[in-house]
Amino acid sequence: MSGTSPLAACLRSLRAVVFDTDGVVIDSARLHAAAWQGAFDACLSTVGGQRPFDPVTDYLRHVDGRSRLDGAAGFLASRGLDLPLGDPDDAPGTATVWAVAARKEELFTASVRAHGVAAWPGTVRLLHALGRERMPCAAVSASRHATELMTAAGVIGLFRSVVDGNEARRLGLPGKPDSALFLEAARRLGVPVRDAAVLEDALAGVEAGRRGGFGLVVGVDRTAGGSNTAGLRRHGADVVVTDPGELLALGRG
């Protein structure tokens, strides 16, 4: 690493960085939340007496950072809805957990096709700076769309490795808050976890980074007014920023 590194002091002693994708690299968390809202509200309306899904608090608490099936099951259980699990090939709907997850997938895919998705500029600046410092980076996501979305956003080439939902399924890796996805990313980068950082916006993801023994866990809180900062710290974040680009600004001076 160069003697005039633009990186924050907390990054300078490390050798690699592992990025969560949705909400950290790609501006897609709001699309995921809206898709979950459509899928869950249709389900809640069939039983009555339920308040709608909140795309901020319910999303952060129950589904952010988790696999589609785990997210669907977790939120439905939180509302006391005991749907049968169903099968992976269930049609989108409200009768089973898999059907609700499939409806979310359908809504998310339609939204991406209609509106597209972009990378967060601050994260892109940090990735370029890390590249200049010869610090390898990996991306991790529970979503099967992560590689496709990062390719479309023009940032896939900034990562040495990607461990997405497709890879997790192929390798049989459990989802967050288990640390398996992050550990696999560090293994592919060839760096001990104590010498690597994790950047995450999900509570489950921050917890996964802490459980994995990573040298630095950075929470990313893009919520209005920093409403998720305390939760990120409770789940194990060493540092919380509103945008990864701040890890460059902190390194100046």
Side-chain angles (χ1 to χ4, degrees), residues 83-90 95-99:
L83 295 185
L85 181 62
D87 298 302
D89 59 353
D90 284 353
T96 69
V97 178
W98 271 110

Side-chain angles (χ1 to χ4, degrees), residues 76-166:
L76 294 171
S78 77
R79 296 296 185 91
L81 301 182
D82 187 21
L83 295 185
L85 181 62
D87 298 302
D89 59 353
D90 284 353
T94 61
T96 69
V97 178
W98 271 110
V100 175
R103 178 56 176 156
K104 181 268 175 180
E105 177 79 353
E106 184 177 66
L107 292 170
F108 178 76
T109 300
S111 181
V112 169
R113 288 174 178 170
H115 305 293
V117 67
W120 288 100
T123 303
V124 174
R125 289 195 298 273
L126 176 60
L127 283 163
H128 280 296
L130 291 167
R132 290 190 294 270
E133 297 294 298
R134 301 184 184 276
M135 288 182 66
C137 298
V140 161
S141 177
S143 172
R144 296 182 302 166
H145 298 286
T147 298
E148 173 189 354
L149 294 178
M150 288 191 293
T151 300
V155 295
I156 193 69
L158 299 176
F159 296 96
R160 182 174 295 182
S161 183
V162 177
V163 183
D164 63 9
N166 296 308

Side-chain angles (χ1 to χ4, degrees), residues 28-80:
S28 52
R30 59 190 174 81
L31 301 182
H32 281 291
W36 278 120
Q37 183 176 22
F40 284 138
D41 283 355
C43 190
L44 295 171
S45 68
T46 66
V47 296
Q50 291 273 0
R51 69 184 185 279
F53 175 82
D54 189 304
V56 177
T57 58
D58 284 330
Y59 177 73
L60 291 173
R61 184 173 298 128
H62 300 293
V63 300
D64 188 24
R66 303 177 189 270
S67 70
R68 280 188 299 122
L69 187 64
D70 288 346
F75 173 75
L76 294 171
S78 77
R79 296 296 185 91

